[in-house]
Amino acid sequence: MSAPSKEAPKAQHGDPMAELAEKIFVALAGRIYGNLAGGDVKKPDPKALAAYAFKLAVAFDAASRETDTAKASIEAANKAKVRLDEVDLTSVFADVKK
């Protein structure tokens, strides 16, 4: 039997929020726990730093959806959708009954 891997789990593929949080965490951890950080400074718990990275990722995602470009893109996508429940097809079927 092989020993369990001590490698940190990776972000789930396809989950953009987790991938963004992972990138933020790596950047923060590099600055906080790196050699250039002062040794006399109290450093946060890695779990707390990971939770903070997720909060930053959520805030970034929310803020990016509020930009003018994103709002215009969402509005254009909503206009392009075809809602079949709002389409009146009675005239199409009236010709078939004759």
Side-chain angles (χ1 to χ4, degrees):
M1 274 179 103
S2 62
S5 173
K6 299 226 181 218
E7 187 177 316
K10 297 274 184 186
Q12 296 176 353
H13 293 296
D15 184 6
M17 195 67 66
E19 290 174 5
L20 178 59
E22 182 180 18
K23 288 178 183 179
I24 292 171
F25 175 79
V26 169
L28 287 175
R31 288 176 166 251
I32 293 172
Y33 303 118
N35 292 335
L36 299 177
D40 57 341
V41 177
K42 183 179 177 186
K43 298 176 182 168
D45 176 47
K47 277 189 172 183
L49 188 62
Y52 182 64
F54 267 98
K55 288 181 182 178
L56 286 175
V58 169
F60 180 81
D61 183 57
S64 68
R65 292 174 194 260
E66 294 176 4
T67 63
D68 293 337
T69 306
K71 286 180 182 178
S73 175
I74 291 169
E75 186 177 331
N78 286 339
K79 285 183 180 179
K81 289 181 185 176
V82 176
R83 305 233 8 219
L84 294 178
D85 58 336
E86 294 177 357
V87 177
D88 182 20
L89 298 174
T90 55
S91 63
V92 174
F93 294 117
D95 292 339
V96 175
K97 291 181 182 180
K98 290 183 179 181

